[in-house]
């Protein structure tokens, strides 16, 4: 019996969200008196996989099949299921990402496991029951969910668990083959198109986010958002109406019907703070709101606020960041 | 081509969330329920594809008790041909997926569409479970769907980009924007929806695998600290020294 952690890799590196997932998994293993093994998906270097020891992982299973570089639901599901079987894993932990949730739901059927996605805390195991806390109602509430059965799958929301760093510890990397056949790659992507990201920072992975709403007046003013984001090393985002009218691409739209983000810092510029927008950002650690209307609902959800004109305030903030660095 | 579109019945997006005194259930009192916004993308795209092909049917499926029927009728008014309601309280994603799979197994549907997730439970699981139960591919979340004969071309969102995926029918896709512009029912649609077939079936006996022990609201914010616009730069110092986030 062990805990299996699914780590997603990209360009040879383990994704930050997967370092959190690994930390979550090894802490669960410790609670249950067992060890945590990781299985790697995506493109990974052995050196980076070995470093998962710093997150408490003892062993990493690595299938070097080159076609696993891109997400293929069929192949990933088979690979992880095979790893779970090999390790006799009763608990499988993955990221609450598009990949994690897609594979997790298929795995739950294949392994006859109960599953919770969007999980924000370590489990509670009082009195024989196994309960996890997850976000519900689009970030407007939490639910404590009891997971039944012998096997459990947990998808951990980004930024809800602090990644461990026990410097110098290494995990043993072991070659692993899930004996994948061509049929397992039937849903392989024909083409992968990466989008331009401000400063190369992916919004779902970002720790800092600068976001603009209709108050920015038009796409020609977005340099103000981008300048501040660049100075901070932040990703950029927007409200729904902004992407609806194509001022910004759809993958930047956050909210109930867009991306959910939970960065350490979310700076909202000229966004009113409608309940559907808040739903996608209200689990951010610190929220800053800049709005010229003191009655804007966003101020109620904010930690810091500036009542003022974005065109006047944003350049001052960018300047202040540059002076600080 | 036969489309099956799964819709869930969720609290209106502006609803203030509260719970029953024991915190075990969402408090429905006075709450307006709507078709899950993500499901509207699935529904409208199915109707568009059927219209483009000039043939086929769009069946709407909901797992829910009788109080969901106004929204099932709304889906019919938007343009679905017929509807099935599985008469059960949707206990968890696994329970719902089993009901959908059991309807789909005998229905001969070519394409099963649903929203990426429901805005109440936010599970993002049902599509994968249905695909696995039926042994067919799932594409999630899909931002674009085109059909040519039995082959579908989809754009699937990945972190930082998109993938172009081709699958043959039958398959499951969970939809999100910008797939299409969701339609709203017109008068004619509302009139014809009243006479379209809505079949009620009893659930298969299968159980759930999870149970909500308690719901809770997030802790209240401490209150906003306002910085005068003239000294906006002070904010940056506070973010570094006080909040310690930069
Ligand atoms: C089913 C449904 C789902 C939805 N999903 C989402 C979602 O996922 N994400 C989302 O964002 N929205 C969503 N919405 C839309 C949401 O209700 C709001 O309409 C939207 O968030 C408003 O965007 P906004 O704040 O940018 O624009 P507005 O509401 O127009 O607000 C603009 C703000 O900018 C301020 N402003 C104007 N000029 C300046 C200036 N010079 N300086 C400073 N401040 C200025 C104004 O005071 C105002 O507060 C959804 C709506 C529905 C019905």
């Amino acid at each position: 019996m062990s805990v299996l952690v699914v780590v997603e890799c990209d360009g040879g590196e383990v994704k930050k969200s997967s370092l959190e997932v690994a930390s979550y998994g090894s802490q669960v293993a410790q609670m249950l008196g067992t060890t945590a093994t990781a299985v790697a998906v995506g493109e990974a270097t052995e050196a980076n996989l070995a470093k998962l020891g710093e997150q408490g992982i003892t062993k990493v299973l690595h299938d070097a099949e080159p076609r696993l570089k891109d997400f293929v639901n069929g192949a990933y599901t088979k690979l992880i299921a095979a790893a779970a079987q090999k390790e006799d894993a009763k608990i499988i932990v993955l990221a609450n990402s598009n990949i994690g949730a897609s594979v997790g739901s298929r795995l739950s059927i294949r392994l006859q496991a109960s599953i919770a996605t969007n999980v924000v805390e370590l489990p509670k195991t009082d009195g024989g029951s196994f309960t996890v806390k997850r976000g519900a109602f689009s970030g407007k509430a939490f639910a404590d969910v009891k997971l039944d059965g012998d096997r459990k799958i947990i998808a951990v929301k980004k930024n809800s668990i602090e990644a461990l760093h026990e410097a110098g510890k290494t995990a043993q990397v072991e070659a692993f083959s899930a004996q994948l056949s061509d049929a397992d790659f039937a849903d392989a992507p024909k083409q992968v198109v990466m989008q331009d990201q401000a400063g190369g920072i992916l919004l779902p992975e970002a720790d800092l986010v600068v976001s603009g709403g209709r108050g920015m007046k038009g796409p020609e003013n977005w340099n103000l958002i981008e300048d501040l984001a660049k100075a901070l090393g932040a990703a950029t985002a927007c409200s729904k109406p902004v992407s609806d009218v194509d001022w910004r691409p759809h993958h930047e739209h956050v909210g109930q019907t867009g991306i959910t983000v939970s960065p350490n810092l979310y700076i909202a510029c000229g966004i009113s703070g409608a309940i559907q927008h808040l739903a996608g950002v209200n689990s951010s650690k610190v929220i800053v709101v800049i709005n010229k209307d003191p009655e804007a609902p966003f101020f109620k959800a904010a930690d810091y606020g500036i009542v003022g004109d974005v065109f006047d305030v944003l350049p001052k903030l960018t300047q202040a960041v540059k002076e600080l660095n | 081509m036969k489309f099956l579109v799964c819709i869930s019945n969720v609290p209106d997006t502006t609803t203030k969330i509260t719970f029953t005194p024991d915190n075990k259930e969402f408090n429905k009192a006075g709450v307006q329920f709507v078709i899950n916004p993500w499901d509207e993308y699935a529904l409208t795209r199915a109707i568009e594809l059927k219209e483009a092909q000039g043939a086929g049917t769009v069946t709407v499926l909901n797992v829910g008790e009788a109080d969901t029927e106004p929204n099932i009728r709304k889906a019919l008014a938007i343009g679905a041909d017929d509807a099935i309601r599985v008469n059960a309280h949707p206990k968890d994603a696994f329970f719902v997926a089993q009901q959908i799979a059991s309807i789909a197994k005998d229905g001969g549907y070519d394409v099963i569409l649903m929203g990426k997730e429901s805005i109440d439970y936010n599970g993002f699981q049902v599509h994968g479970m249905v695909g696995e139960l039926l042994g067919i591919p799932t594409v999630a979340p899909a931002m674009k769907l085109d059909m040519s004969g039995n082959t579908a071309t989809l754009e699937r969102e990945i972190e930082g980009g998109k993938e172009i995926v081709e699958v043959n029918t039958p398959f499951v896709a969970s939809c999100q924007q910008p797939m299409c512009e969701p339609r709203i029912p017109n008068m004619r649609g509302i009139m014809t929806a009243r006479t379209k077939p809505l079949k009620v079936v009893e659930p298969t006996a299968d159980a759930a695998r999870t149970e909500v022990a308690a719901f809770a609201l997030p802790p209240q914010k401490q209150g906003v600290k306002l910085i005068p616009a003239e000294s906006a730069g002070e904010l940056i110092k506070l973010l570094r020294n006080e909040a310690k986030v930069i």
Side-chain angles (χ1 to χ4, degrees), chain B:
Chain B
M1 189 144 290
K2 285 181 75 174
F3 292 91
L4 181 67
V5 179
C6 311
I7 63 169
S8 68
N9 199 54
V10 297
D12 176 80
T13 53
T14 56
T15 304
K16 197 164 182 280
I17 304 297
T18 61
F19 302 103
T20 53
D22 65 358
N23 285 324
K24 291 224 182 239
E25 301 268 350
F26 171 67
N27 179 11
K28 289 185 177 180
V31 172
Q32 167 96 21
F33 279 77
V34 296
I35 300 175
N36 182 38
W38 299 108
D39 302 349
E40 291 185 351
Y41 292 99
L43 176 64
T44 301
R45 190 64 192 137
I47 294 165
E48 286 174 359
L49 287 167
K50 182 196 102 165
E51 287 171 355
Q53 290 166 359
T57 52
V58 175
T59 300
V60 169
L61 170 60
N62 167 255
V63 180
E65 287 159 327
D67 59 349
T68 69
E69 288 197 5
N71 281 325
I72 300 178
R73 288 281 171 210
K74 188 179 166 201
L76 293 169
I78 290 170
D81 298 288
D82 58 354
I84 303 169
R85 178 169 69 81
V86 178
N87 187 28
H89 174 65
K91 284 183 229 154
D92 75 348
F94 176 59
F95 177 84
V96 172
Q98 288 173 107
Q99 308 310 320
I100 295 171
S102 102
I103 300 279
K105 212 173 292 168
D106 304 324
Y109 298 101
D110 303 288
V111 180
I112 303 172
L113 298 182
M114 61 186 75
K116 161 185 146 141
E117 64 183 32
S118 66
I119 63 162
D120 51 359
Y121 199 73
N122 308 110
F124 191 29
Q125 297 165 35
V126 174
H127 46 84
M129 292 180 176
V130 171
E132 186 73 16
L133 286 165
L134 296 171
I136 60 178
T138 319
V139 183
M143 301 188 289
K144 207 171 165 200
L145 165 62
D146 288 308
M147 300 286 307
S148 163
N150 287 331
T151 305
T153 305
L154 298 112
E155 275 183 22
R156 174 179 182 282
E157 186 184 59
I158 53 173
E159 271 87 20
K162 61 188 177 192
E163 289 172 355
I164 318 294
V165 182
E166 248 175 52
V167 289
N168 290 332
T169 59
F171 66 90
V172 182
S174 75
C175 305
Q176 70 170 50
Q177 54 96 34
M179 175 148 295
C180 56
E181 198 51 59
R183 287 188 192 174
I184 42 173
N186 57 27
M187 210 43 192
R188 208 181 101 81
I190 294 167
M191 299 307 286
T192 52
R194 291 189 187 152
T195 57
K196 287 181 179 173
L198 193 173
K199 193 163 87 180
V200 178
V201 300
E202 291 307 313
T204 59
D206 301 326
R209 285 180 181 161
T210 63
E211 187 196 321
V212 174
F215 285 108
L217 294 173
Q220 285 269 317
K221 280 273 176 185
Q222 294 292 309
V224 59
K225 189 178 234 179
L226 288 176
I227 293 103
E230 311 79 70
S231 46
E234 285 303 308
L235 170 68
I236 299 301
K237 288 185 192 138
L238 287 170
L239 291 176
R240 165 141 315 168
N241 302 325
E242 188 177 82
K244 300 195 179 2
V245 286
I246 59 172

Side-chain angles (χ1 to χ4, degrees), chain A residues 71 101 106 108 110 113 117 134 137-138 140 142 144 146 148 190-191 193 195 250 257 276 303-305, chain B residues 13 38 119-124 132 136 138 156 160 162 164 177 209 211 213-214 216 221 225 227 242:
Chain A
F71 172 60
R106 288 195 88 98
S108 74
R110 200 166 295 192
T117 50
R134 71 187 298 282
F137 294 96
S138 303
K140 289 184 251 175
F142 292 101
D144 286 329
K146 231 175 83 199
D148 293 338
K190 295 281 171 277
Q191 196 193 342
V193 188
Q195 282 135 356
H250 273 285
T257 50
Q276 298 94 347
D303 300 283
Y304 297 94
Chain B
T13 53
W38 299 108
I119 63 162
D120 51 359
Y121 199 73
N122 308 110
F124 191 29
E132 186 73 16
I136 60 178
T138 319
R156 174 179 182 282
K162 61 188 177 192
I164 318 294
Q177 54 96 34
R209 285 180 181 161
E211 187 196 321
K221 280 273 176 185
K225 189 178 234 179
I227 293 103
E242 188 177 82

